[in-house]
């Protein structure tokens, strides 16, 4: 492997700084993390993306190769297809979080544009709406592969002619995606959506993806096999789930007592109280209400945006950039047991909690919440063996429990550092 470039060193240091800001432990980064950054820096340093570089002996050159022409265009020069880089591993190993970090650094510190907006427009007047993801409350460009597929289909399909219009798609890729240079794709699966990646790769775009899979037959069939890195080991998020629990006598306990005396507000059907405690913005929800009100990811994002200290909502009296803690009153693990809808809603809430980088505390006035490894393991066993539920739903729900616990620990650590 060649020596890291100055750009690689710079990006690496910036990622470490962002990790610290986001409540992560960068000491858990390993050679795989660093090698991916080196590849990105080398890709960005190339003078011409569309010319094949012969005789390269660098790490990048060992798997960036073959020429291909852009479909549907009478282009004069060949384009080097760029094999995707896919990070594989079980849930909780920091795959998506690492992409969040890279995405944030490249878009905010290195001038790579984010040309994906919440509403995308075509020249015929049609629109496509998507939910942007966030890291530390700032929007990022990462989308799931399913969303990338839907977006490409939107620009490829002519609703008036009821047929494909490759010219519209080519213009979208040329004018919007190529300037981004690097795209981030979550949830790359072995079948279904992975052909989207070679469709982007053949235009000279580097795609970084994550997956729970380790084999990608469809990508191989396009003769653009991905470079695969396996992530394993400890969760890189700081904190332990028990960090989020407060018991009587702790300082966090008083936050619940103070906030519950405030006037009740509503976001759609979701009731909440809020107040400033010192320099910290505090919002309180009833746990049983949070897991029964039908809130999707987009709803939770809108809720946090409307209550966050940087909100422009007229009724929001929080000062800008104040720290934010979400309180979950009367938490009960028993209410999640066997309730797939409740678990999925709760997992979704914590997916959004991580995106906004806020703190979370939980309490139960009757008894300390049981968040022991034994109780969680029993919950996962009951999920995996539940009769009458689609196996894929059982699998995703069990994986969601691991994701939620990791993010709860991070959010609890964040909250305890603020009080």
């Amino acid at each position: 492997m060649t020596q890291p470039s100055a750009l690689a060193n710079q990006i690496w240091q910036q990622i470490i700084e962002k990790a610290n800001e986001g409540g992560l432990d960068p000491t858990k980064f390993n050679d795989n993390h660093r090698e991916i950054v080196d590849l990105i820096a080398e890709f960005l340093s190339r003078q011409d993306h569309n010319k094949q570089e012969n005789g390269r002996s660098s790490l990048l050159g060992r798997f960036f190769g073959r020429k291909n022409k852009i479909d549907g265009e009478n282009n004069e020069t060949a384009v080097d297809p760029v094999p995707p880089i896919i990070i594989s591993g079980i849930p909780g190993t920091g795959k998506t979080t690492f992409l969040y970090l890279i995405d944030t650094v490249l878009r905010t510190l290195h001038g790579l544009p984010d040309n994906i907006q919440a509403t995308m427009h075509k020249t015929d007047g049609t629109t496509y709406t998507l939910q942007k993801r966030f890291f530390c409350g700032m929007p990022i460009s990462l989308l799931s592969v399913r969303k990338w597929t839907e977006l490409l289909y939107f620009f490829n399909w002519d609703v008036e002619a009821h047929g494909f219009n490759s010219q519209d798609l080519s213009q979208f890729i040329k004018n919007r995606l190529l300037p981004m240079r690097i795209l981030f794709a979550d949830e790359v699966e072995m079948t279904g959506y992975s052909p989207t990646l070679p469709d982007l790769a053949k235009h000279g775009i580097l795609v970084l993806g994550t997956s729970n899979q380790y084999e990608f037959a469809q990508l191989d069939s396009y003769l653009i096999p991905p470079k695969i890195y396996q992530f394993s080991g400890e969760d890189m998020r700081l904190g332990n789930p028990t960090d989020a629990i407060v018991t009587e006598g702790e300082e966090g306990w008083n936050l619940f007592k103070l906030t519950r005396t405030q006037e009740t507000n509503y976001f759609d059907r979701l009731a909440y109280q809020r107040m400033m405690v010192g320099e910290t913005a505090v919002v309180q929800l009833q746990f049983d209400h949070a897991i029964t009100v039908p809130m999707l990811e987009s709803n939770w994002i809108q809720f946090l945006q409307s209550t966050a200290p940087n909100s422009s909502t007229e009724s929001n009296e929080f000062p800008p950039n104040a720290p934010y803690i979400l309180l979950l009153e009367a938490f009960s693990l028993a209410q999640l047991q066997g309730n797939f809808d409740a678990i999925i809603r709760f997992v979704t809430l914590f997916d959004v909690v991580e995106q906004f980088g806020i703190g979370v505390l939980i309490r139960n006035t009757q008894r300390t919440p049981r968040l022991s490894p034994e109780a969680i393991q029993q919950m996962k066993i009951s999920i995996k063996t539940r009769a009458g539920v689609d196996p894929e739903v059982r699998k995703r729900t069990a994986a969601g429990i691991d994701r939620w616990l990791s993010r709860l620990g991070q959010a609890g650590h964040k909250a305890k550092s603020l009080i």
Side-chain angles (χ1 to χ4, degrees), residues 87-93 95 210-214 229-232:
I87 303 172
S88 295
I90 62 174
T93 49
K95 305 182 298 297
T210 69
S211 181
N212 297 332
Q213 308 286 339
Y214 297 91
Y229 288 89
Q230 288 194 24
F231 276 20
S232 59

Side-chain angles (χ1 to χ4, degrees), residues 287-352:
F287 171 75
D288 59 351
H289 198 194
I291 63 174
T292 54
V293 174
M295 300 272 284
L296 302 173
E297 180 182 25
S298 58
N299 302 120
W300 283 119
I301 287 175
Q302 291 165 14
F303 170 71
L304 291 185
Q305 285 178 323
S306 68
T307 58
N310 60 353
S311 170
S312 60
T313 306
E314 291 183 4
S315 61
N316 192 340
E317 299 176 357
F318 290 160
N321 302 316
Y324 185 121
I325 296 178
L326 181 67
L327 306 179
L328 292 171
E329 174 69 293
F331 173 84
S332 171
L333 200 60
Q335 288 185 275
L336 293 176
Q337 188 78 35
N339 189 334
F340 280 74
D341 287 342
I343 292 172
I344 290 170
R345 289 192 184 107
F346 206 48
V347 169
T348 300
L349 167 59
F350 275 85
D351 287 345
V352 175

Side-chain angles (χ1 to χ4, degrees), residues 96-170:
T96 302
T97 304
F98 190 55
L99 294 196
Y100 282 5
L101 290 167
I102 301 172
D103 191 337
T104 301
V105 166
L106 294 183
R107 306 297 178 206
T108 61
L109 301 177
H110 291 271
L112 269 65
D114 179 3
N115 292 330
I116 305 303
Q117 306 303 320
T119 302
M120 304 295 294
H121 300 270
K122 283 178 66 173
T123 54
D124 61 8
T126 56
T127 60
Y128 175 80
T129 301
L130 55 85
Q131 179 61 63
K132 297 277 287 183
R133 294 199 201 182
F134 295 79
F135 181 68
C136 294
M138 299 298 293
I140 57 176
S141 68
L142 181 145
L143 299 175
S144 69
V145 173
R146 179 173 64 85
K147 287 297 182 183
W148 282 118
T149 302
E150 291 175 358
L151 189 59
L152 295 181
Y153 181 85
F154 166 71
F155 280 95
N156 198 17
W157 182 258
D158 189 322
V159 294
E160 294 184 357
H162 294 283
F164 291 109
N165 185 334
S166 60
Q167 185 62 32
D168 281 354
L169 178 60
S170 294

Side-chain angles (χ1 to χ4, degrees), residues 28-229:
K28 294 177 181 176
F29 291 155
N30 56 37
D31 290 344
N32 282 341
H33 295 84
R34 181 61 209 241
E35 191 167 304
I36 291 169
V37 170
D38 291 345
L39 291 175
I40 292 169
E42 192 169 354
F43 173 79
L44 293 174
S45 296
R46 296 199 303 180
Q47 295 299 312
D48 188 347
H49 296 261
N50 300 323
K51 291 183 179 179
Q52 186 176 18
E53 297 179 52
N54 296 315
R56 297 189 66 198
S57 59
S58 66
L59 176 62
L60 191 68
R62 289 204 292 272
F63 65 95
F64 283 10
R66 190 174 56 87
K67 288 186 177 182
N68 188 29
K69 288 191 175 182
I70 300 178
D71 293 343
E73 292 186 6
N74 184 23
N75 55 313
E76 297 179 355
T77 60
V79 176
D80 294 341
V82 183
I85 297 173
I86 297 179
I87 303 172
S88 295
I90 62 174
T93 49
K95 305 182 298 297
T96 302
T97 304
F98 190 55
L99 294 196
Y100 282 5
L101 290 167
I102 301 172
D103 191 337
T104 301
V105 166
L106 294 183
R107 306 297 178 206
T108 61
L109 301 177
H110 291 271
L112 269 65
D114 179 3
N115 292 330
I116 305 303
Q117 306 303 320
T119 302
M120 304 295 294
H121 300 270
K122 283 178 66 173
T123 54
D124 61 8
T126 56
T127 60
Y128 175 80
T129 301
L130 55 85
Q131 179 61 63
K132 297 277 287 183
R133 294 199 201 182
F134 295 79
F135 181 68
C136 294
M138 299 298 293
I140 57 176
S141 68
L142 181 145
L143 299 175
S144 69
V145 173
R146 179 173 64 85
K147 287 297 182 183
W148 282 118
T149 302
E150 291 175 358
L151 189 59
L152 295 181
Y153 181 85
F154 166 71
F155 280 95
N156 198 17
W157 182 258
D158 189 322
V159 294
E160 294 184 357
H162 294 283
F164 291 109
N165 185 334
S166 60
Q167 185 62 32
D168 281 354
L169 178 60
S170 294
Q171 288 301 309
F172 169 65
I173 293 174
K174 178 181 178 181
N175 297 331
R176 303 298 291 271
L177 298 188
L178 277 174
M180 294 177 68
R181 302 180 69 180
I182 297 177
L183 302 182
F184 298 93
D186 202 14
E187 302 170 7
V188 179
E189 302 302 333
M190 188 164 59
T191 59
Y193 302 113
S194 54
T196 297
L197 272 63
D199 286 345
L200 296 170
K202 69 186 180 184
H203 289 80
I205 298 171
L206 174 59
V207 179
L208 269 69
T210 69
S211 181
N212 297 332
Q213 308 286 339
Y214 297 91
E215 297 179 355
F216 305 92
Q218 289 182 338
L219 286 168
D220 292 341
S221 70
Y222 278 76
L223 302 180
I224 314 178
K227 176 70 174 178
I228 301 174
Y229 288 89

Side-chain angles (χ1 to χ4, degrees), residues 245-259 282 325 327 361-363 415-416 419:
I245 301 171
V246 296
T247 55
E248 193 166 7
E250 293 184 33
E251 192 169 354
W253 189 269
N254 294 325
L255 291 181
F256 285 86
K257 292 176 63 177
L258 288 170
T259 310
V282 181
I325 296 178
L327 306 179
L361 295 174
I362 62 178
R363 79 164 182 171
K416 290 288 180 71
I419 60 176

